Amino acid sequence: MTLVENSNTKAHEEAAGSFQRSPRFMNGEAFNSTFKWLSIGSALFILVILGGFFVSLTVGAWPALSKFGLSFIWTSTWNPVTEQFGALPAIAGTLITSGIAIIIAVPLAFAIAIYITQLAPRWLRHPLGIAIELLAAIPSIIYGMWGLFFFAPIFAEFIQAPVIDAFENVPFLSTIFAGPAIGIGMATAGIVLAIMILPFIASVMRDVIDTVPKRLKESGYAIGATDWEVTRAIIIPHCKTAMTGAIFLGLGRALGETMAVTFIIGNANRITAAIFAPGNTIASTIANEFQEAYSSIHSSSLIALGLLLFIITFIVLAVARMMLNRISS
């Protein structure tokens, strides 16, 4: 038996050695090494692109930053004639419109995702899913034109005017809902942004909810839980991390939107608490003025706005990552 075992062991070693020395094994090893370095290179390439964006924006924005300093962030003056520029109105408009969009879009997206995955008849789920995805494919300029020529007149007549009249004498709310009922403004931009980011958030939430094990939901129904109780006690805890990521994905989309917002926000460089009043965002300011920037400091200030938008988006994504880590831990 010992001789047989020794001979088998020797045969196995010879076979393994011949396999390792075979051209096929050598080719596989070379392919694996190549694949590894290509993956590393691709990951580093993304970092190089991000670093290149940051460096190029910083270089272009440096004349404005060196002239105005950090006061560029909290100064509200934007006057190309006197070459005095401040980013505060654009920053405020960006945050306000994105906030309005998130407040409107998140509940609607969650409700749509729950209906498609839990409540809709089976024959209706696929068409609804396709409709949501088609909304995501519509170009932003189409949303802007629709908002300007169709939605804004209706919004002014049936929403803005009644709301302004209703809260005219109510403290605080009279300030929030003040302004002329002209249809365009930060509220209009926020609503159109909500419609734009809605399919992105809803699609991700739908796909995430589909990953909930069926037996978990059936166990909830088996003990007499309602649809809402199953959603609250099973679906949300199981999907909260991915849902949070979907929300921040939509927020990142809203922060950088340009053309649709440019059509309907009014493009007024001022800070106001009235959400019905015209305003502007970082992206809309750059889109409106970059081609007409006749001085180097004007162009540099616009590039500085782009740098601020880059930093704001980075901060939002960093906060999202920290929240996701805390939720998943």
Side-chain angles (χ1 to χ4, degrees):
M1 294 294 294
T2 304
L3 293 175
V4 174
E5 290 177 355
N6 289 337
S7 62
N8 289 338
T9 302
K10 187 176 181 180
H12 291 159
E13 291 176 353
E14 291 177 354
S18 62
F19 175 75
Q20 293 178 358
R21 291 190 298 271
S22 65
R24 183 177 180 181
F25 178 82
M26 297 300 291
N27 290 337
E29 193 175 45
F31 178 80
N32 184 63
S33 177
T34 303
F35 175 75
K36 174 184 176 181
W37 286 108
L38 282 176
S39 300
I40 294 174
S42 300
L44 293 177
F45 182 65
I46 296 298
L47 297 178
V48 170
I49 292 176
L50 287 175
F53 276 130
F54 181 77
V55 171
S56 61
L57 288 173
T58 303
V59 171
W62 187 251
L65 296 178
S66 60
K67 178 178 181 179
F68 304 116
L70 291 178
S71 63
F72 179 79
I73 299 175
W74 56 76
T75 301
S76 59
T77 302
W78 188 272
N79 193 333
V81 177
T82 60
E83 295 189 344
Q84 296 297 317
F85 300 100
L88 187 58
I91 294 174
T94 300
L95 298 179
I96 291 172
T97 53
S98 300
I100 293 173
I102 288 295
I103 291 172
I104 296 173
V106 170
L108 289 176
F110 180 73
I112 290 171
I114 289 295
Y115 179 74
I116 292 176
T117 57
Q118 305 299 119
L119 304 176
R122 190 171 297 275
W123 60 268
L124 187 59
R125 294 180 182 181
H126 188 62
L128 283 177
I130 292 177
I132 292 297
E133 292 168 359
L134 285 176
L135 280 176
I138 297 176
S140 61
I141 193 170
I142 302 300
Y143 280 106
M145 295 173 64
W146 172 82
L148 179 63
F149 296 113
F150 179 79
F151 179 71
I154 296 175
F155 186 69
E157 182 176 356
F158 296 102
I159 303 296
Q160 279 188 325
V163 170
I164 291 173
D165 293 338
F167 295 106
E168 184 178 5
N169 299 317
V170 180
F172 181 71
L173 293 180
S174 61
T175 303
I176 298 297
F177 297 107
I182 56 177
I184 60 175
M186 290 186 290
T188 309
I191 294 172
V192 173
L193 274 179
I195 298 173
M196 294 182 65
I197 67 176
L198 177 63
F200 294 96
I201 301 175
S203 296
V204 175
M205 286 187 174
R206 179 198 62 190
D207 294 339
V208 169
I209 293 173
D210 278 336
T211 65
V212 178
K214 191 175 181 180
R215 65 180 182 273
L216 291 181
K217 295 182 286 186
E218 290 177 346
S219 64
Y221 290 122
I223 62 175
T226 63
D227 290 327
W228 164 243
E229 289 170 337
V230 169
T231 300
R232 178 176 57 84
I234 296 176
I235 293 177
I236 293 179
H238 190 275
C239 304
K240 60 183 179 180
T241 301
M243 286 183 175
T244 304
I247 293 171
F248 278 96
L249 174 67
L251 178 58
R253 177 78 169 83
L255 287 171
E257 177 52 43
T258 304
M259 292 309 302
V261 174
T262 303
F263 269 85
I264 54 180
I265 197 171
N267 301 304
N269 193 78
R270 61 182 182 182
I271 298 177
T272 176
I275 61 174
F276 288 159
N280 65 355
T281 65
I282 293 176
S284 67
T285 302
I286 296 173
N288 280 321
E289 299 189 16
F290 200 82
Q291 291 294 330
E292 301 175 359
Y294 59 87
S295 65
S296 60
I297 194 65
H298 191 184
S299 299
S300 179
S301 298
L302 292 172
I303 297 174
L305 285 180
L307 177 62
L308 287 176
L309 182 59
F310 182 90
I311 294 173
I312 291 172
T313 305
F314 180 82
I315 292 174
V316 168
L317 294 179
V319 171
R321 174 53 55 187
M322 289 189 292
M323 290 182 62
L324 291 175
N325 291 337
R326 292 188 62 181
I327 292 173
S328 58
S329 62

